[in-house]
């Protein structure tokens, strides 16, 4: 390698270099980078090819000084819930061919920890936020959304300052109850997250899920047999709920959980108690994550299209970040029940 070529390789490629290589103006390159209207597919291809050939990498710090950092923050409570992986896959796929980078904040279940993480994202001038079922008080989320474009996934509370992507959780619960009743079950319990009244969210997903469960049980004349047990959406949470519900003599013959990850904990509890699934207990999860279809698991689960939820949230957020839309929207996914081997007719002693 000659000294001249080495110097050329270490020199930072600029937008002017890209424009010259593509044979277009710097304004055209800027429009392509901003995803502006009026840019033809041919122009986009030409500019992006030039960027790839030159190895052009926009300077995020410089762009941040001009008002945009091209970073998107995603808040979730933990990284062990496989449903969040589905949502993140959808977000990444939607933003794959854009200039945006996704940064993840796994903040834990605590409201204070989540609030600190959200504030850190705002302080770092992220262009937009996707908050997955935040446990942060609603007032704080609304205040954040006033400053930074925000999409809330999961909570059904619509607002003028942020977009929302939700699942029809009440419908999903009804599908599960209908399926179990059709199999002959009458003692059906629900394991759901507890939530917190202090956060002032009126319709978080666990409330919508419980409403759907209670309405479906009432519709089948089973209002007197309802049982709602609160537990964290984690393997340990499901395990504790399983032990509590299945240790007594009046154990339910079927359990619906609000998350597949909690259903796995119930599997573990049932096994420790010498109970078989579905022989002694029918079990329904929620989210239809990849683990539900594994051969040893085969969990019946409500599919709420996590990948689509993530992609939709990313698309809605970029519309707001780039000024293509200034009115809030709420998009609702339609759930479907995927029946596998974890549900069957109730065992009669």
């Amino acid at each position: 390698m000659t000294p001249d070529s080495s110097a050329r390789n270490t020199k930072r490629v600029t937008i002017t270099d890209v424009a010259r290589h593509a044979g277009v103006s710097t304004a055209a390159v800027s429009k392509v980078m901003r995803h502006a209207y009026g840019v033809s597919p041919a122009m986009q291809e030409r500019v992006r090819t030039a960027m790839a050939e030159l190895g052009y990498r926009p300077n995020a710090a410089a762009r941040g000084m001009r008002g945009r950092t091209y970073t998107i923050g995603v808040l979730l409570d933990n990284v062990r819930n496989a449903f969040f992986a589905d949502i993140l896959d959808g977000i990444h796929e939607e933003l794959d061919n854009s200039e945006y980078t996704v940064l993840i904040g796994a903040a834990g279940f605590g409201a204070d920890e989540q609030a600190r993480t959200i504030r850190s994202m705002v302080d770092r001038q992220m262009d937009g936020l996707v908050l997955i079922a935040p446990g942060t008080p609603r007032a704080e989320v609304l205040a954040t959304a006033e400053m930074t474009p925000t999409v809330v996934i999961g909570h059904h509370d619509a607002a003028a300052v942020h977009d929302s992507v939700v699942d029809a959780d009440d419908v999903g619960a009804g599908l599960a109850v209908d399926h179990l009743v059709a199999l002959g079950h009458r003692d059906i319990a629900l394991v759901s997250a507890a939530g917190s009244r202090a956060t002032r969210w009126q319709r978080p997903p666990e409330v919508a899920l419980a409403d759907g469960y209670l309405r479906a049980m009432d519709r089948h004349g089973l209002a007197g047999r309802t049982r709602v047990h609160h537990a964290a959406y984690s393997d340990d949470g499901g395990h504790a709920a399983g032990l509590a519900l299945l240790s007594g003599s009046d154990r339910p013959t079927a359990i619906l959980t609000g998350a597949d990850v909690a259903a796995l904990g119930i599997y573990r509890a049932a096994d420790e108690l010498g109970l078989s699934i579905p022989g002694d207990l029918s079990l329904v999860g929620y989210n239809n994550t990849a683990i539900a279809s594994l051969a040893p698991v085969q969990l019946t689960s409500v599919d709420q299209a996590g990948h689509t939820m993530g992609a939709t949230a990313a698309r809605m957020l970029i519309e707001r970040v780039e000024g293509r839309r200034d009115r809030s929207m709420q998009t609702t996914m339609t759930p479907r029940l995927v029946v596998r081997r974890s549900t069957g007719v109730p065992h009669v002693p």
Side-chain angles (χ1 to χ4, degrees), residues 121-202:
M121 290 176 171
V122 173
D123 289 344
R124 284 162 176 75
Q125 296 182 308
M126 294 187 182
D127 293 327
L129 305 177
V130 177
L131 310 180
I132 304 177
T136 309
R138 185 170 184 239
E140 180 145 0
V141 170
L142 294 177
T144 298
E146 290 274 11
M147 300 181 293
T148 304
T150 300
V151 178
V152 175
I153 294 181
H155 293 326
H156 295 250
D157 302 59
V161 293
H162 68 72
D163 293 324
S164 306
V165 179
V166 302
D167 180 63
D169 298 297
D170 52 346
V171 175
L175 292 174
V177 171
D178 291 347
H179 168 66
L180 292 168
V181 169
L183 290 172
H185 292 277
R186 297 296 178 268
D187 293 312
I188 304 167
L190 170 67
V191 172
S192 169
S196 172
R197 291 176 181 266
T199 62
R200 301 294 182 181
W201 292 98
Q202 299 301 311

Side-chain angles (χ1 to χ4, degrees), residues 281-294:
L281 174 73
S282 282
L283 183 61
V284 180
Y286 210 98
N287 306 145
N288 193 35
T289 54
I291 201 167
S293 63
L294 293 178

Side-chain angles (χ1 to χ4, degrees), residues 88 119 132 264:
L88 289 170
R119 290 175 201 143
I132 304 177
L264 296 181

Side-chain angles (χ1 to χ4, degrees), residues 203-221:
R203 294 284 291 174
E206 60 270 15
V207 168
L209 186 76
D211 284 350
Y213 160 78
L214 295 172
R215 284 203 302 268
M217 292 289 282
D218 182 61
R219 188 170 68 246
H220 290 290

Side-chain angles (χ1 to χ4, degrees), residues 1-347:
M1 179 180 291
T2 67
D4 285 347
S5 63
S6 176
R8 280 197 303 269
N9 288 340
T10 57
K11 178 186 175 185
R12 186 177 186 89
V13 178
T14 68
I15 191 173
T16 302
D17 297 325
V18 173
R20 187 181 299 116
H21 192 77
V24 300
S25 66
T26 55
V29 176
S30 179
K31 283 185 177 181
V32 171
M33 291 174 60
R34 289 185 290 107
H35 306 279
Y37 287 121
V39 181
S40 69
M43 176 68 76
Q44 291 185 35
E45 178 66 23
R46 196 167 169 182
V47 171
R48 294 198 181 283
T49 298
M51 291 168 66
E53 290 176 351
L54 294 176
Y56 174 69
R57 225 172 132 251
N59 189 319
R63 289 186 300 184
M65 292 174 67
R66 293 195 298 268
R68 193 175 298 177
T69 62
Y70 289 82
T71 54
I72 300 299
V74 179
L75 176 84
L76 44 85
D77 54 39
N78 73 95
V79 294
R80 297 185 179 182
N81 189 334
F83 179 58
F84 295 161
D86 291 342
I87 293 176
L88 289 170
D89 279 347
I91 292 172
H92 278 291
E93 184 174 298
E94 182 66 26
L95 300 179
D96 188 47
N97 293 319
S98 75
E99 301 297 327
Y100 292 92
T101 297
V102 177
L103 300 178
I104 300 168
F109 292 102
D112 291 341
E113 292 84 353
Q114 290 193 21
R116 279 198 296 271
T117 301
I118 292 173
R119 290 175 201 143
S120 294
M121 290 176 171
V122 173
D123 289 344
R124 284 162 176 75
Q125 296 182 308
M126 294 187 182
D127 293 327
L129 305 177
V130 177
L131 310 180
I132 304 177
T136 309
R138 185 170 184 239
E140 180 145 0
V141 170
L142 294 177
T144 298
E146 290 274 11
M147 300 181 293
T148 304
T150 300
V151 178
V152 175
I153 294 181
H155 293 326
H156 295 250
D157 302 59
V161 293
H162 68 72
D163 293 324
S164 306
V165 179
V166 302
D167 180 63
D169 298 297
D170 52 346
V171 175
L175 292 174
V177 171
D178 291 347
H179 168 66
L180 292 168
V181 169
L183 290 172
H185 292 277
R186 297 296 178 268
D187 293 312
I188 304 167
L190 170 67
V191 172
S192 169
S196 172
R197 291 176 181 266
T199 62
R200 301 294 182 181
W201 292 98
Q202 299 301 311
R203 294 284 291 174
E206 60 270 15
V207 168
L209 186 76
D211 284 350
Y213 160 78
L214 295 172
R215 284 203 302 268
M217 292 289 282
D218 182 61
R219 188 170 68 246
H220 290 290
L222 302 173
R225 300 195 183 191
T226 59
R227 204 180 327 184
V228 179
H229 186 94
H230 292 132
Y233 285 158
S234 64
D235 180 81
D236 287 343
H239 179 256
L243 292 178
L245 288 168
L246 300 175
S247 295
S249 58
D250 62 339
R251 67 173 186 258
T253 62
I255 296 176
L256 163 64
T257 70
D260 287 352
V261 65
L264 296 181
I266 294 173
Y267 257 110
R268 185 156 58 92
D271 181 68
E272 291 173 7
L273 294 170
L275 302 175
S276 67
I277 295 174
D280 299 306
L281 174 73
S282 282
L283 183 61
V284 180
Y286 210 98
N287 306 145
N288 193 35
T289 54
I291 201 167
S293 63
L294 293 178
V297 181
Q298 285 297 293
L299 176 67
T300 294
S301 186
V302 178
D303 190 327
Q304 59 178 135
H307 186 280
T308 303
M309 291 181 86
T312 301
R315 185 165 56 253
M316 292 168 70
L317 185 63
I318 298 307
E319 287 175 355
R320 295 294 287 271
V321 168
E322 299 187 346
R324 303 182 207 165
R325 176 170 52 82
D326 58 7
R327 298 186 64 181
S328 66
M329 291 177 55
Q330 183 173 93
T331 300
T332 303
M333 304 291 125
T334 302
R336 65 187 181 94
L337 184 70
V338 180
V339 178
R340 298 190 180 94
R341 292 200 302 266
S342 69
T343 51
V345 296
H347 173 70

